Amino acid sequence: VPAGLFSGLAYMALECDRGPKTNMLLDTAVPQPPGENTSKRPLSAFCGVYMAVGKRSVILAAALVCLFGTSSALICASALQLQTFGFSTTAIGMTSVPSALLQVLISPCAGRLATTPKRRVMLIAAPLVVLAGTLFAVALIPMRSPSCALVLLMLSLAAGSAAVATAD
């Protein structure tokens, strides 16, 4: 319900803004084909920034969506896996604390490193590769004991948080 409410409010705010269309990055007017009425296309209003910037913004958004989705799936899957091993709800909840702290520490450092376009591309691509490699390696190790499962799942959560912090 809250997501639908905020989406509706965002749509109404976009519909109320009927000023001249400008490219936010270049601060210039966006040319429109003659006779085209963009008020009938709410998707162009929502995706206007991505359409103005181009392919790179779509790739960045897709990478971030994949990273956030992977991180959320890891949190859910690790909680379910630890529950099968009989961990308490407090212990399961505490497993995500180190990865959250790691994300808090890595994010500002990654922001300081992203000074050139080449570095920015590497800071988006490298976390995807490192996360995939870590998850592949963790998947190969059997989780036979609860302590082994705890360590492997916390490693997976840390890798997911580090990837999100670096790319975001």
Side-chain angles (χ1 to χ4, degrees):
V1 173
L5 178 67
F6 286 125
S7 296
L9 289 173
Y11 179 76
M12 289 184 340
L14 288 171
E15 284 298 313
C16 292
D17 181 24
R18 294 287 181 203
K21 303 295 181 193
T22 60
N23 184 334
M24 291 182 212
L25 297 177
L26 302 176
D27 201 26
T28 59
V30 175
Q32 293 181 350
E36 183 176 350
N37 186 1
T38 58
S39 65
K40 303 275 184 193
R41 300 184 330 193
L43 183 62
S44 66
F46 282 116
C47 301
V49 173
Y50 298 109
M51 295 167 77
V53 174
K55 291 186 281 186
R56 286 185 168 207
S57 65
V58 174
I59 292 169
L60 174 64
L64 289 174
V65 166
C66 289
L67 285 171
F68 282 118
T70 302
S71 182
S72 299
L74 284 171
I75 292 170
C76 181
S78 66
L80 293 173
Q81 185 68 31
L82 291 175
Q83 185 181 16
T84 60
F85 278 111
F87 283 92
S88 68
T89 54
T90 304
I92 293 171
M94 293 301 288
T95 58
S96 62
V97 172
S99 62
L101 292 174
L102 183 65
Q103 191 168 358
V104 167
L105 294 173
I106 289 178
S107 191
C109 296
R112 285 187 209 104
L113 287 174
T115 56
T116 64
K118 189 174 184 176
R119 283 186 179 177
R120 278 183 235 133
V121 169
M122 289 304 294
L123 286 173
I124 293 169
L128 293 168
V129 173
V130 171
L131 179 62
T134 304
L135 294 178
F136 182 73
V138 167
L140 292 178
I141 302 170
M143 294 185 200
R144 294 195 176 119
S145 68
S147 58
C148 179
L150 181 64
V151 169
L152 291 175
L153 292 173
M154 287 183 73
L155 176 67
S156 299
L157 288 172
S161 288
V164 168
T166 305
D168 190 26

